[in-house]
Every structure is written in structure tokens, then in C-alpha cells.
Amino acid sequence: MTEARQEVSLGMPQLPAPAYPAEVRARLEADAKEVIARYPDSRSALLPLLHLVQSEEGYVSRTGMALCAELLGLTTAEVTAVATFYTMYRRRPSGDYQVGVCTNTLCAVMGGDAIFDRLKQHLGLGNNETTEDGKVTLEHIECNAACDFAPVVMVNWEFFDNQTPESATQLVDDLIAGRTVEPTRGAPLCSYKETARILAGFPDQRPGAVEATGGAGPASLVGLRLAKGEELHPKVVAPRGESARSEAPQDRPQPGAQHLSSHDAPQQTSASDPDHPAGPAAEEGE
């Protein structure tokens, strides 16, 4: 790397990144050339190259970022800006299994927060911390577009749906013990390094991975079914523990009939905001 590319932090030159062993560098360079060749502009290959170097060490190290910068003709500052922006790139050594608990709104209210708290206590870890044996890294994650299976836990980006604190605890115990665990849907589970190589764009060698499906659930597909012109029978929501039932056409409210749902008419706000009571909003023209 030329002196012009040397990065400066707080006015002090930064020490050069450690080099990969010759055989590792040669292998990574060969793989990187294959990735770069897919793009008309080499810098477009930065995201998959970061996955590639992550597949080598299990995280994106300074050495990995320096290699990406060199191969793509970028500064290490440009590479670092991308690597630190996306949470899918780890910036320090982490576990063979990244256990992510969704704590976004729906998963949280369905039990995601309770699962995350239980795992923190059970493993003795905080967010983004790793067990001493290097097996499991625990983190809370944002929405993974699997809301109809909430609460969701992901391990190396594979889905474990409809989890409870008990099932999630058993899951991490099995991972630490080396027992086989099977995702709810999708491809078989593999290590984080193997996952990173797949995300870099190399063939997925897992048995059955090509045939595996991890499609969305029924609730997520309602819009698609409507677009296809399918008739959907609404569900009558039942109390927790009871089964919902389909609403037959004769059971549907008729036009002009009064609905019992509290959401169908403007309500007084005094119950929720006693300091600022107000009546229903007036219709235009009144």
C-alpha cells in the first residue's frame, strides 16, 4: 500500500495491518478475482468481498479490509465505512453460531424480549458477546420479515420460528454441546464462516440446500393472493388459547350494520389522555 493510501487517525499514522500467510492470501486472491469478475465496476464487489474475508477469520479484520482495499483500488477508509455500516459484518472475533433474537415490535410483544433476557441470563452474556468456548455469539436483531412466525430466533441467518424462552434455551445448549439442530424451514444449519462464504456468492454445498424452501407464511402472502384475485375469508380473532374460525359469508356484517369493534368509530380520548380530553373529530362540513 502506498504512503498516499495510509490512513491517519487523530493525527497519528495507523500501523499497517498484519499480513495473511502466503497460502491464505493466494487462495483469497483467487476467490476475489472470481467475485470481482462478476461486476462491470470492481468497487461493486466490495460487499461480497467483505463476506469472503469474513469467511476466513469469522469476522472482518483489519487484514481483511486492507486486502479488499488493495484488490479494489479503494482506501481502507472507504472499506471501513462500509464494513462498519452493515451489522452483518462482525468487527471482532465471534462465535461459530450467531444467535440473533428478533426484538422488533411484533416479535418483542410476542415474547422476543423475554427470550433475549432468558438467553442473556442463561449464557451470562450481554448483547454481541460470545461464550468463552467460542461457540455462540448472542445478539438482538431487527425485523427479519418473518412476523407471522413471531417470535423468531435466527442462527447464522437460518430461521427458528415460534420460539419460547424454553425452546431457545434448549437451542443454544444443543449448539454448545455440538448436537444437531434443524431450522424450522430453509437449508440445513452450517457454521458462520461457511455462511459467510455462501453470502460471498459461492455455491452452497449443504445437502438439500437447493431444494430447501423458506417461504413466507400465510399472513405475509395475503397481498399476493388478493392481487391474484383470490377470495379471502376473514378470520374472527379468538382469545389466546382458542382457535380462530373462518367467517362464512352469511356471518359477515351487512352494509350499515353496527360493528362491535372499538376501532370502527371515533372514541373519546379522555381515557388514554386525561389531561387533554376531546370528543370525536368533527366531519368536514359540520
Side-chain angles (χ1 to χ4, degrees):
M1 187 180 300
T2 64
E3 291 183 1
R5 289 185 179 275
Q6 198 172 46
E7 309 305 326
V8 178
S9 176
L10 299 178
M12 296 294 292
Q14 200 172 48
L15 293 175
Y20 283 121
E23 66 278 8
V24 174
R25 181 184 171 93
R27 174 165 43 79
L28 288 175
E29 281 189 0
D31 287 340
K33 288 178 180 178
E34 181 180 337
V35 173
I36 294 170
R38 303 171 189 160
Y39 299 90
D41 185 344
S42 63
R43 69 185 297 142
S44 299
L46 178 55
L47 294 179
L49 282 195
L50 286 170
H51 282 300
L52 177 64
V53 297
Q54 185 159 254
S55 73
E56 184 64 34
E57 300 178 84
Y59 72 109
V60 178
S61 65
R62 288 179 57 225
T63 304
M65 289 190 287
L67 179 63
C68 291
E70 179 183 338
L71 296 178
L72 298 177
L74 302 172
T75 66
T76 53
E78 290 173 311
V79 175
T80 302
V82 175
T84 56
F85 180 82
Y86 294 104
T87 58
M88 58 192 176
Y89 300 121
R90 313 299 300 186
R91 293 302 316 284
R92 61 188 181 202
S94 55
D96 296 331
Y97 300 101
Q98 305 283 323
V99 176
V101 182
C102 182
T103 55
N104 215 327
T105 306
L106 184 56
C107 277
V109 301
M110 294 293 288
D113 284 346
I115 291 173
F116 189 55
D117 289 342
R118 171 73 68 85
L119 292 184
K120 285 193 295 184
Q121 181 181 18
H122 181 69
L123 297 172
L125 301 177
N127 185 45
N128 281 326
E129 293 183 353
T130 303
T131 54
E132 290 184 1
D133 59 9
K135 291 285 188 179
V136 168
T137 296
L138 178 66
E139 62 178 341
H140 74 81
I141 52 180
E142 296 300 325
C143 184
N144 286 283
C147 300
D148 34 354
F149 299 106
V152 173
V153 173
M154 298 196 81
V155 180
N156 295 348
W157 309 119
E158 300 296 345
F159 289 103
F160 291 79
D161 302 325
N162 301 309
Q163 292 294 295
T164 65
E166 292 72 27
S167 66
T169 300
Q170 184 63 54
L171 172 61
V172 296
D173 284 347
D174 289 342
L175 292 172
I176 291 172
R179 293 187 284 267
T180 300
V181 299
E182 296 183 2
T184 309
R185 53 203 165 98
L189 189 64
C190 62
S191 72
Y192 190 63
K193 290 182 180 181
E194 291 170 323
T195 301
R197 184 169 177 82
I198 294 169
L199 292 174
F202 291 93
D204 190 342
Q205 303 293 344
R206 292 174 290 179
V210 176
E211 298 81 11
T213 58
S220 296
L221 298 175
V222 168
L224 177 62
R225 294 178 61 192
L226 287 172
K228 290 181 176 180
E230 297 181 24
E231 182 179 2
L232 302 181
H233 292 245
K235 296 283 187 180
V236 176
V237 179
R240 184 177 291 274
E242 297 182 17
S243 299
R245 62 180 177 84
S246 293
E247 189 178 65
Q250 64 270 20
D251 296 331
R252 298 176 191 170
Q254 299 302 310
Q258 182 177 1
H259 295 255
L260 299 180
S261 171
S262 61
H263 299 287
D264 289 333
Q267 299 294 304
Q268 299 281 350
T269 63
S270 55
S272 59
D273 190 3
D275 294 333
H276 302 88
E283 298 287 343
E284 291 187 14
E286 289 187 359

